[in-house]
């Protein structure tokens, strides 16, 4: 039996997933494979290192900190990204809220960041290894227009959620027969319209036509991906954990109290479904 944990992104909404993974850690539930896009895996690496509460602490303490993100960092020619990349991906894990690199190095869990290759428009998967600059996470979090493409292994990558919001098929391809997927939108959520920022971004990336087309079709592709997930759920191939209510909760939410609330929703739902989760992981049924 091989278990996967798949984590959707969604910037600040991904704190819902942290509430879920913290409950998993509390109950000794560890996946063999962890894969996610954007903030999903950026938070998920703390699950891999078995650091209960760390991802929440990072968000609650620093998301509202001017050193973390904001327009000045985007306009800074040495950074050119909404996030202050050295602060977020180096200062915090290496100094302020230390990441447990020893556990990461020793674990048998295989973790991957889903990224979008802007030359091909295809999803690729970068292994999470001991890298104190966290370049794979920078790449998967690199939202178009607000970040620069990230060079990794001679290729240019951006936000993994553009090509694959919830990389469940990758988990299945790794031979996982128990797949727990944590979403960051309600079960009945559908993207109704094109996202204006991503549609505008398509013009900026017109030299990468496959990537630009993904941006223009984002709402359609996202909804199709969700239907695929629900189909897999009906077939018993995955178990989905979804929030009950994210209404009014912005992906760029900075208020520590609000961040605590979305984390608490994930914790509450995971605790309520804990027996179901354990039954599924042990028996393949829920």
């Amino acid at each position: 039996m091989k278990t996967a944990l798949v984590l959707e992104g969604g910037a600040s909404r991904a704190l819902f997933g942290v509430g879920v993974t913290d409950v998993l850690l509390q109950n000794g539930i560890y996946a063999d494979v962890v894969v996610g896009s954007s903030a999903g895996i950026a938070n998920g690496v703390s699950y891999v290192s078995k650091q209960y509460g760390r991802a929440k602490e990072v968000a609650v303490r620093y998301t509202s900190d001017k050193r973390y993100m904001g327009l000045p960092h985007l306009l800074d020619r040495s950074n050119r990204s909404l996030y202050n990349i050295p602060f977020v991906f180096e200062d915090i894990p290496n100094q302020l809220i230390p990441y447990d690199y020893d556990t990461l190095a020793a674990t048998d869990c295989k973790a991957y960041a889903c990224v979008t290759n802007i030359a091909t428009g295809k999803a690729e998967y970068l292994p999470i290894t001991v890298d104190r600059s966290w370049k794979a996470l920078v790449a998967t979090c690199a939202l178009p227009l607000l970040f620069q493409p990230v060079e990794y292994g001679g290729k240019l990558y951006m936000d993994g959620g553009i090509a694959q919001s919830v990389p469940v098929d990758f988990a299945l391809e790794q031979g996982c027969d128990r797949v727990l997927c944590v979403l960051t939108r309600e079960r009945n959520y559908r993207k109704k319209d094109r996202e204006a920022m991503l549609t505008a971004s398509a013009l900026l990336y017109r030299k990468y036509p496959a990537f630009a087309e993904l941006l223009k079709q984002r709402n359609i592709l996202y909804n199709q991906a969700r239907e695929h997930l629900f189909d897999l759920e009906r077939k018993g191939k995955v178990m989905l954990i979804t929030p009950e209510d994210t209404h009014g909760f912005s992906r760029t939410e900075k208020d520590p109290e609000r961040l605590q609330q979305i984390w608490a929703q994930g914790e509450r739902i995971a605790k309520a479904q804990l027996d179901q989760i354990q039954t599924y992981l042990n028996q393949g049924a829920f």
Side-chain angles (χ1 to χ4, degrees), residues 192 251 281:
K192 296 180 180 179
R251 62 182 293 124
L281 295 180

Side-chain angles (χ1 to χ4, degrees), residues 68-88:
Y68 192 97
M69 66 176 168
L71 186 59
H73 303 299
L74 182 60
L75 299 178
D76 182 347
R77 291 188 177 183
S78 67
N79 188 72
R80 299 173 65 201
S81 296
L82 182 67
Y83 285 178
N84 178 358
I85 290 174
F87 181 76
V88 174

Side-chain angles (χ1 to χ4, degrees), residues 69-262:
M69 66 176 168
L71 186 59
H73 303 299
L74 182 60
L75 299 178
D76 182 347
R77 291 188 177 183
S78 67
N79 188 72
R80 299 173 65 201
S81 296
L82 182 67
Y83 285 178
N84 178 358
I85 290 174
F87 181 76
V88 174
F89 295 99
E90 297 179 33
D91 293 354
I92 291 178
N94 299 333
Q95 300 175 36
L96 300 173
I97 305 180
Y99 185 79
D100 187 346
Y101 291 101
D102 290 341
T103 297
L104 176 64
T107 186
D108 292 328
C109 174
K110 304 298 183 184
Y112 301 89
C114 177
V115 293
T116 303
N117 182 322
I118 66 172
T120 65
K122 301 294 185 182
E124 296 184 17
Y125 299 87
L126 306 181
I128 300 297
T129 59
V130 176
D131 169 15
R132 292 178 182 267
S133 64
W134 292 103
K135 202 165 187 180
L137 295 188
V138 178
T140 193
C141 290
L143 191 67
L145 202 62
L146 298 178
F147 292 77
Q148 298 302 306
V150 176
E151 189 276 329
Y152 188 107
K155 301 177 183 179
L156 291 177
Y157 296 110
M158 297 202 79
D159 186 347
I162 301 300
Q164 191 59 263
S165 298
V166 188
V168 64
D169 288 334
F170 176 81
L172 293 170
E173 289 165 5
Q174 305 314 298
C176 297
D177 46 12
R178 305 287 191 274
V179 181
L180 190 63
C181 292
V182 183
L183 306 185
T184 56
R185 284 291 200 178
E186 299 87 339
R187 182 171 287 270
N188 63 354
Y189 175 78
R190 298 293 183 275
K191 286 189 183 294
K192 296 180 180 179
D193 303 302
R194 289 185 178 183
E195 297 178 53
M197 186 181 76
L198 293 184
T199 302
S201 297
L203 295 174
L204 181 64
Y205 300 102
R206 57 186 178 275
K207 64 182 289 186
Y208 303 104
F211 184 63
E213 189 61 27
L214 285 180
L215 296 175
K216 289 188 287 186
Q217 299 297 319
R218 168 69 173 155
N219 61 317
I220 296 171
L221 296 173
Y222 181 81
N223 292 338
Q224 289 175 346
R226 286 178 65 90
E227 288 304 320
H228 176 55
L229 283 172
F230 298 139
D231 183 56
L232 290 174
E233 182 186 43
R234 287 189 289 269
K235 294 176 179 176
K237 293 186 176 182
V238 304
M239 179 176 177
L240 302 180
I241 300 179
T242 64
E244 292 173 349
D245 183 14
T246 61
H247 180 72
F249 192 91
S250 167
R251 62 182 293 124
T252 57
E253 182 63 61
K254 297 180 181 180
D255 185 308
E257 184 174 340
R258 294 276 287 159
L259 295 171
Q260 175 71 32
Q261 289 172 357
I262 195 71

